Amino acid sequence: MDVGAREPLGSSGKHHWREATITEPGLEDRGNVFFAAIEMTRMPMILTDPHQRDNPIVFANKAFLDLTLYEESEVLGRNCRFLQGAQTDREMVAQLRSTVENRDSIAIEILNYRRDGTPFWNAVFIGPVYDTSGELLYFFASQLDVTRRRESEQSFLRAQKMEAVGQLTAGLAHDFNNLLQVVNGNLELASTRVNDDQTLRYLQSARSAAERGAKLTGQLLAFARKTRLDPRPVDVSACITSFADVMESSIGKQVELHLSLRRNLPKAVLDPTQFEMAVLNIALNARDAMPEGGVIEIKTGKVRLNGDAAARGLTPGEYISVEVCDQGIGMPPQVVERAVEPFFTTKATGKGTGLGLAMASGFVQQSRGRLEIESEVDHGTVIRMLFPVASADAEEQERPVARAAEAASTSGAHILIVEDSSDVLVLAKEILEATGYRVSTAETGEIALKLFEQAPPGSIDLLFTDLVMPGGINGLLLAEKIAEIDPGLPILMTTGYNEELVIDGPKAAGLDVLGKPYRRTDLLDRVRQALSQRGVTDVRRRRSDFGPAEE
């Protein structure tokens, strides 16, 4: 038994994997059943003659000709190196050459090229053939096109890489949003206590920079597919038409914007605000790819995916396609592969963050669609977004109106703040107390639950809690436990990272969430809104435990 890496199946095998012995060395008699089987098999096979100069091919079956697209007359008498090309690994070629010189066997995967120039990954096995006296007669080689498997592996590895980058990105954005909340909040409070115009300008400049940082973290979360979307049936052609003026003013006069929008398309399920941002970012990239000017064309259409749906990572069915086409410099394949990575850009320093396409890709994937890139150097780029068609084109129903409830007086209302960041906790407490609210605080869900259980019934008017907290009780679980004690208590959540909401969509739907970093006015407005719902327990319909049907 031979055991080792040279075994073509990756496991232990018998000695015949490495060499074979024959009693009739000639190739003239091809009328027996074995030659018929070799010609009928779908496995490409060849024989080479090491006694002739350059070890040429002396036999090739029809499967080999089908694989390589060559005719028999173009193959016989030539060394196998004609299958090699620009991207063929020279180290692999050296291993093949060494195997033949040492009369050994080998099983490797190598990039080869067909007659028409198209590349394919070839799983090659080569072994010697001897006669009964031990003299080497031929080398046998079998091939197998493993391109599809290699591409699937590469796609899986890229997906793993992007998922890891997304997790890291979202985690950093969460921490960064907490820091920005403290910076923004304190700058806003400081602005209310300063009367000097020059100092106010300094503070305003700092606040502008902090808000740009908040926008950056929002783009990072969009890439990581952690943005909380508001998907609904949308007419994409009408949506693009409605903000075409904004796009034209944003991309400038150096390029022309052409719209080729199909009317009466089925509606797509997406968040229109995030969709507009994605199209705008792609259009800006298209403009930058045409420094001498040109045409950006935006097209919409309908696509039905059947047999190729799985290969594109989508379920079969109808999709709305949105294409942004440019006449720019294009991208080589190695750039296309990395185009949606965050912070990857080929632009000069200071000309781009490398987040526009990453954010668009994250949004499309979170919308259960797909972003595709077709590009060729000096021949432009097509960015295609596919979105699932809405199951019904009915008009959106108005949200259930809350039953009439007595307007709760917010003056002196008691609010329980739960926040694991002490700086953010102090800031929120100061803002609310300055407005006349009574505030209790807790830094963990466990402490908050204990405080609530010990407080007199009805003495707490609002729970304001962070969503992601250390320990066994996060914001969602805390809200669930407190709702069991007091179903009518309004709950307002805050987060800079919506991972929990993405995972527990049906469970978390309907929760009132304030994103970080938030402004003082935003916090006060949302608190007043939440307090007005005190005692209202049926504002939103209870969702089914099973949810809507999905394929």
Side-chain angles (χ1 to χ4, degrees):
M1 301 287 286
D2 289 325
V3 180
R6 292 184 298 185
E7 297 301 337
L9 299 182
S11 60
S12 60
K14 293 184 177 180
H15 194 65
H16 70 249
W17 283 121
R18 300 193 54 192
E19 62 185 36
T21 302
I22 59 176
T23 58
E24 298 179 12
L27 297 174
E28 293 80 15
D29 183 11
R30 302 192 182 186
N32 61 55
V33 67
F34 296 105
F35 263 108
I38 293 299
E39 289 289 15
M40 288 290 291
T41 183
R42 295 177 61 194
M43 176 71 73
M45 298 178 183
I46 61 173
L47 286 174
T48 66
D49 187 351
H51 299 291
Q52 296 187 39
R53 183 177 176 274
D54 207 23
N55 189 28
I57 297 173
V58 292
F59 170 79
N61 71 348
K62 291 181 175 59
F64 178 83
L65 304 179
D66 290 342
L67 171 66
T68 62
L69 304 182
Y70 286 92
E71 295 300 326
E72 186 177 36
S73 60
E74 298 172 321
V75 168
L76 298 182
R78 300 178 66 183
N79 185 280
C80 298
R81 72 173 65 92
F82 69 86
L83 295 175
Q84 299 167 17
Q87 300 299 319
T88 303
D89 191 331
R90 297 302 146 187
E91 183 179 340
M92 292 295 182
V93 174
Q95 290 184 37
L96 290 174
R97 186 181 298 115
S98 175
T99 297
V100 172
E101 291 174 354
N102 296 326
R103 300 186 176 188
D104 209 341
S105 61
I106 190 173
I108 63 172
E109 292 182 2
I110 188 170
L111 187 66
N112 283 160
Y113 292 80
R114 297 183 177 87
R115 191 179 190 277
D116 62 359
T118 57
F120 69 98
W121 279 99
N122 195 359
V124 180
F125 169 71
I126 296 177
V129 179
Y130 297 92
D131 64 12
T132 54
S133 65
E135 181 182 352
L136 177 66
L137 297 179
Y138 303 105
F139 271 99
F140 169 83
S142 65
Q143 290 87 27
L144 183 64
D145 185 353
V146 293
T147 305
R148 184 179 300 178
R149 191 252 298 161
R150 294 280 299 215
E151 289 179 347
S152 296
E153 289 175 353
Q154 291 298 318
S155 297
F156 178 69
L157 290 174
R158 282 196 295 270
Q160 280 189 319
K161 175 183 175 182
M162 297 300 282
E163 183 64 25
V165 173
Q167 293 288 347
L168 174 63
T169 299
L172 290 173
H174 168 240
D175 293 339
F176 196 40
N177 272 333
N178 274 339
L179 297 174
L180 285 172
Q181 178 59 58
V182 177
V183 173
N184 274 338
N186 283 287
L187 286 172
E188 191 170 12
L189 289 176
S191 299
T192 62
R193 302 188 179 188
V194 173
N195 295 321
D196 178 60
D197 290 341
Q198 187 173 10
T199 304
L200 282 173
R201 283 197 301 272
Y202 293 155
L203 292 173
Q204 184 57 44
S205 178
R207 286 181 61 188
S208 297
E211 287 173 358
R212 288 196 298 272
K215 182 179 179 181
L216 179 63
T217 57
Q219 291 176 314
L220 290 172
L221 288 170
F223 156 74
R225 307 192 301 279
K226 301 298 186 284
T227 300
R228 197 183 195 201
L229 302 180
D230 182 18
R232 54 182 181 269
V234 173
D235 184 334
V236 294
S237 295
C239 185
I240 292 172
T241 301
S242 67
F243 78 104
D245 292 341
V246 175
M247 274 196 294
E248 285 186 324
S249 62
S250 298
I251 63 179
K253 297 181 179 180
Q254 70 187 57
V255 298
E256 297 181 32
L257 179 64
H258 289 186
L259 302 181
S260 180
L261 310 177
R262 284 186 56 184
R263 299 179 60 186
N264 300 320
L265 284 172
K267 293 183 179 180
V269 181
L270 50 82
D271 184 321
T273 302
Q274 293 291 332
F275 171 69
E276 291 177 4
M277 189 178 300
V279 174
L280 180 59
N281 279 326
I282 295 172
L284 291 174
N285 281 347
R287 176 203 64 187
D288 294 340
M290 298 186 292
E292 304 300 324
V295 175
I296 297 175
E297 184 177 13
I298 300 179
K299 300 187 290 186
T300 59
K302 185 171 68 172
V303 177
R304 173 174 285 278
L305 300 183
N306 290 321
D308 60 342
R312 300 167 98 162
L314 300 173
T315 56
E318 289 190 343
Y319 290 80
I320 300 300
S321 92
V322 180
E323 295 184 356
V324 181
C325 315
D326 67 57
Q327 304 169 332
I329 57 178
M331 295 179 283
Q334 64 270 22
V335 173
V336 172
E337 286 186 4
R338 301 189 59 193
V340 297
E341 293 183 14
F343 302 114
F344 176 78
T345 179
T346 57
K347 300 177 185 178
T349 303
K351 297 296 184 180
T353 63
L355 280 173
L357 205 53
M359 185 201 72
S361 176
F363 157 67
V364 175
Q365 289 185 57
Q366 194 175 344
S367 302
R368 298 187 178 184
R370 175 181 172 87
L371 184 141
E372 300 176 338
I373 304 175
E374 296 177 5
S375 188
E376 187 177 347
V377 176
D378 297 329
H379 288 83
T381 299
V382 176
I383 306 292
R384 181 182 303 106
M385 294 180 285
L386 299 176
F387 298 97
V389 168
S391 57
D393 289 339
E395 294 291 330
E396 283 187 278
Q397 297 180 354
E398 295 184 4
R399 293 191 176 187
V401 180
R403 73 181 183 197
E406 294 184 8
S409 174
T410 60
S411 177
H414 187 192
I415 301 174
L416 174 58
I417 304 177
V418 190
E419 172 64 64
D420 63 298
S421 171
S422 58
D423 291 333
V424 176
L425 182 64
V426 169
L427 178 64
K429 183 174 183 291
E430 183 174 345
I431 292 174
L432 293 174
E433 285 184 337
T435 313
Y437 294 108
R438 293 182 296 119
V439 174
S440 296
T441 62
E443 293 191 357
T444 67
E446 289 81 359
I447 296 175
L449 184 60
K450 189 175 295 185
L451 282 175
F452 191 84
E453 291 173 339
Q454 295 174 351
S459 62
I460 295 179
D461 301 299
L462 172 68
L463 171 65
F464 178 46
T465 178
D466 191 16
L467 180 63
V468 181
M469 293 184 294
I473 301 181
N474 61 16
L476 282 176
L477 187 56
L478 176 64
E480 186 177 307
K481 290 181 177 296
I482 287 182
E484 292 175 357
I485 302 172
D486 186 354
L489 181 74
I491 298 172
L492 175 62
M493 289 190 170
T494 182
T495 184
Y497 176 36
N498 284 317
E499 169 74 5
E500 296 279 294
L501 291 176
V502 173
I503 293 176
D504 293 331
K507 178 181 175 182
L511 291 177
D512 197 4
V513 181
L514 174 63
K516 294 178 183 175
Y518 50 78
R519 296 184 179 185
R520 173 179 175 274
T521 52
D522 294 333
L523 173 60
L524 296 177
D525 180 63
R526 297 293 289 276
V527 166
R528 280 193 297 269
Q529 181 181 353
L531 284 169
S532 68
Q533 303 300 315
R534 176 63 166 158
V536 178
T537 59
D538 59 348
V539 176
R540 295 180 175 89
R541 175 183 60 83
R542 183 181 183 275
R543 294 173 61 100
S544 164
D545 293 335
F546 300 98
E550 293 184 7
E551 185 175 355

